[in-house]
Amino acid sequence: MPLPQSDPEDALIDEACRDLRLPAFRERFVELAAAARREQSSYKQFLLDLLQVERADRDVRRQQRLVRSARFPRPKRLEDFDFEKNPNVLPETVGDLKNTSWVREGRPLVLIGDSGTGKSHLLIGVGTAIAEAGLSVRYTTTSALVNELAEADAARRLSSVIARYSKVDLLCLDEFGYLNLDKKGARLLFQIFTEREECKATAVATNSPFAEWDKIFADPRLCAAIADRITFRCTLIQTGTDSYRFQATESERQAKPTR
């Protein structure tokens, strides 16, 4: 396929790619056409190469869009988790969470441990992996979610907000149990869990063991109902009590030369 030195068709191809929203096709067609000429590829092979480039680019952009829409507070990946610093967390268990099957089955994930033990890192890392696998993810803290629900209730928009959260494939709920909830807040949160039960997955990170959950909720019955929905068929990861952040701070302090 000979390429002319100056071809007005290039401009027409560029314009068509813009109209059809084919950014990768537009960016690489000259490069791939030159490669096809060198390798004496068939027309079909050249077309296939262009389509594969466009498809791969769309997959990457979709992954990026899903990660952005999850609204993670900071980037964290499972590959960066230091399992040697926290032997309580098994790499095999975490590795299984990259598979989307548990999310598609609507099974919960519960991360329990003290502050600084890697709960949020794992929560965001799991959410990122699931988003990159093509499913919708939403991250929020428990207090932010309850406040959003309370404001929606006051504005008579509660049903629409609950419906929006019920459609997300994976809800990552951080800082569960950091603040005690009154009866209204517990009821609002209960509605979210009820809407998502056994059809959409919810991942919770908490520093409170199950035995202390009755202190989080003012209503013991709601506490039992929420605990039942979170723990049914759940994957439980206990990150322990030794703060990784404290260890890192101590290592840095000891590494500094004394004057």
Side-chain angles (χ1 to χ4, degrees):
M1 293 183 291
L3 292 176
Q5 295 298 319
S6 178
D7 192 345
E9 291 180 344
D10 286 356
L12 295 175
I13 294 174
D14 186 271
E15 182 181 353
C17 288
R18 288 176 182 272
D19 292 340
L20 295 173
R21 298 181 179 179
L22 302 171
F25 199 118
R26 171 175 168 260
E27 181 181 346
R28 307 232 0 231
F29 81 89
V30 172
E31 169 199 342
L32 292 176
R37 181 190 180 192
R38 288 194 308 270
E39 299 168 7
Q40 297 183 343
S41 300
S42 66
Y43 289 108
K44 284 186 177 181
Q45 184 61 51
F46 173 50
L47 176 60
L48 178 60
D49 291 342
L50 283 171
L51 292 174
Q52 288 178 333
V53 164
E54 185 63 39
R55 182 170 60 182
D57 181 70
R58 289 194 178 192
D59 288 343
V60 171
R61 286 187 285 118
R62 184 166 185 265
Q63 288 177 352
Q64 294 171 342
R65 184 172 65 253
L66 287 169
V67 171
R68 286 196 303 270
S69 65
R71 300 182 185 179
F72 297 118
R74 51 198 173 276
K76 294 288 184 182
R77 303 191 66 85
L78 294 178
E79 294 80 3
D80 299 327
F81 189 83
D82 194 339
F83 292 97
E84 292 185 0
K85 293 289 180 61
N86 192 336
N88 297 298
V89 181
L90 299 178
E92 297 80 8
T93 303
V94 173
D96 290 341
L97 294 173
K98 295 181 182 180
N99 191 308
T100 61
S101 60
W102 66 279
V103 178
R104 298 182 188 278
E105 294 170 5
R107 293 171 52 192
L109 166 65
V110 179
L111 303 161
I112 297 180
D114 286 358
S115 297
T117 57
K119 300 185 306 299
S120 293
H121 186 144
L122 291 172
L123 185 68
I124 296 172
V126 167
T128 300
I130 296 302
E132 290 179 343
L135 300 185
S136 60
V137 179
R138 180 71 165 87
Y139 169 96
T140 184
T141 63
T142 305
S143 59
L145 176 58
V146 170
N147 289 338
E148 183 181 357
L149 294 172
E151 292 173 2
D153 187 31
R156 298 183 179 180
R157 297 184 294 102
L158 181 61
S159 59
S160 63
V161 173
I162 290 178
R164 173 158 48 85
Y165 276 100
S166 68
K167 294 176 182 177
V168 178
D169 294 315
L170 174 62
L171 174 61
C172 296
L173 196 57
D174 207 353
E175 300 178 4
F176 185 85
Y178 278 54
L179 297 175
N180 294 340
L181 299 177
D182 57 19
K183 290 186 177 181
K184 180 180 179 181
R187 284 197 300 269
L188 293 171
L189 190 61
F190 175 72
Q191 292 184 60
I192 294 291
F193 287 121
T194 299
E195 287 293 321
R196 299 181 58 81
E197 184 181 11
E198 294 191 61
C199 58
K200 299 292 183 179
T202 302
V204 172
T206 178
N207 64 345
S208 300
F210 293 129
E212 298 180 5
W213 281 20
D214 58 339
K215 300 176 183 178
I216 303 173
F217 303 97
D219 189 329
R221 289 179 298 178
L222 274 176
C223 174
I226 290 176
D228 179 68
R229 281 158 175 77
I230 293 178
T231 57
F232 180 63
R233 299 175 64 225
C234 82
T235 298
L236 174 62
I237 296 179
Q238 300 188 59
T239 58
T241 58
D242 296 330
S243 172
Y244 171 76
R245 286 196 293 265
F246 178 77
Q247 294 178 33
T249 302
E250 281 294 292
S251 298
E252 290 180 3
R253 184 183 64 82
Q254 294 176 8
K256 289 182 179 179
T258 55
R259 296 182 179 180

